[in-house]
Amino acid sequence: MTTSQLNRRNLLRTAGILGVAGGMATAVSACGNEDDTTGGSDELDFDFTDDRDETVNVEGLTTAVAYTGMAAALSDFGAKNVTGVFGPTLDKDGNLLPEAQGLDKDKLTVLGNTWGEFDVEEYAGMNPQVLLTHYHNDPESLWYVPAEDADEILSLAPSAAINVDDGSNTLADVIERHAELAGALGADLDSDKLADDKAEFESAVTALAEAAADNPVTVLACSGAEEIFYASVPDMSCDLRYYLEQGVEFIVPDNPDDAGYYEGLSWENADKYEADILFVDARAQALQPDDMADFPTWKELPAVKAGQVVAWHAEPRFSYAGAAGPVQALADMIANATKVV
């Protein structure tokens, strides 16, 4: 595993990912029907070359298992045969987390809900035909596939993976790759719905570029944990790179970690970077604005006082339907923000 991957994973762990949904065992085991893992999907011949340049061919595919965020994106495209998921899916009350929006939880088998959790026995019992997930630059480290169980998991079915951060690809690039994968899973990429979704996404991107040009306010991408406030480096993830291309003026931390992903600040120093807008990690493992209200430095930040805080979906749903709303929300915030620093 690369140093970059270790640091990225450490960020997720430090933010509390291992405790995303304490007491989730009951909710997870209740999700999915062991007597009907195929969900009635039609068979199809699956043929896809992934970003590791590995080609997977499966004749008569009915049962694919995917990382939750990928499954949600594929569902947006109309893909078939994803019947099991692993990764952040349900909160403690059994509701869909942001990464899982758009999925039908009653038709899925949830194999794991937190970092390091993957029910290998239940996965084997599904008779999976392909495992689908992401990776971040390092093709040996598949997203949410526990390293200690990876050999066993990958022996049960071939895998196909998409690189969501190769150092230069952007949100739009990764969405296109998900569209190609969805097509291999039977999605109609010429559907009217997809055309409408893409038009909405492109409209949001245009609005973002116009807002950034008309109102050049500063934005800090950030994430909160109990002990640390993270200031994120904007060119280290595909979505922030895309927003940079549209002209968004992100603050760049001057003392990032060794891998370059973020600068970790104590809460006493959370005001080191003052921005007009705070772009706050919306994932369940991160503290949300209401949670951070307990920290005096948070309450005193100019953007917080001005109400200029907007959700950052730091693990995007890589579909036009999934990305349009978050892009438009950032565009609207920038368009209507005032300079406060």
Side-chain angles (χ1 to χ4, degrees), residues 17-217:
I17 196 165
L18 293 178
V20 166
M24 279 305 306
T26 300
V28 171
S29 63
C31 196
N33 184 336
E34 293 181 358
D35 295 326
D36 183 15
T37 57
T38 67
S41 298
D42 295 331
E43 291 187 1
L44 59 86
D45 292 335
F46 177 77
D47 184 2
F48 183 74
T49 301
D50 74 0
D51 289 348
R52 301 169 299 177
D53 202 29
E54 296 182 9
T55 299
V56 178
N57 291 289
V58 179
E59 293 184 4
L61 176 68
T62 60
T63 306
V65 172
Y67 163 64
T68 300
M70 177 178 271
L74 295 172
S75 176
D76 288 337
F77 282 112
K80 302 176 181 180
N81 299 323
V82 176
T83 59
V85 295
F86 56 94
T89 308
L90 303 171
D91 65 16
K92 64 183 179 180
D93 297 317
N95 300 313
L96 291 172
L97 290 168
E99 295 88 340
Q101 291 301 309
L103 293 175
D104 186 342
K105 64 182 181 179
D106 295 325
K107 294 183 179 179
L108 291 172
T109 297
V110 181
L111 299 167
N113 200 65
T114 62
W115 191 269
E117 182 180 83
F118 193 114
D119 191 327
V120 181
E121 183 177 353
E122 187 165 14
Y123 176 62
M126 294 179 67
N127 297 315
Q129 292 165 289
V130 65
L131 181 141
L132 309 170
T133 190
H134 298 151
Y135 66 93
H136 295 261
N137 197 36
D138 178 8
E140 299 300 317
S141 185
L142 298 180
W143 201 234
Y144 274 85
V145 176
E148 61 273 19
D149 296 320
D151 288 346
E152 183 177 3
I153 291 168
L154 297 176
S155 72
L156 295 169
S159 63
I162 289 176
N163 188 353
V164 298
D165 180 17
D166 66 6
S168 63
N169 59 353
T170 68
L171 175 65
D173 298 327
V174 182
I175 288 174
E176 294 238 349
R177 283 297 280 151
H178 282 72
E180 293 168 10
L181 177 56
L185 287 165
D188 179 4
L189 300 184
D190 296 318
S191 70
D192 291 342
K193 178 185 182 303
L194 180 55
D196 290 344
D197 290 345
K198 187 173 184 179
E200 183 178 357
F201 171 74
E202 291 174 343
S203 174
V205 173
T206 298
L208 179 62
E210 291 175 348
D214 293 342
N215 192 24
V217 291

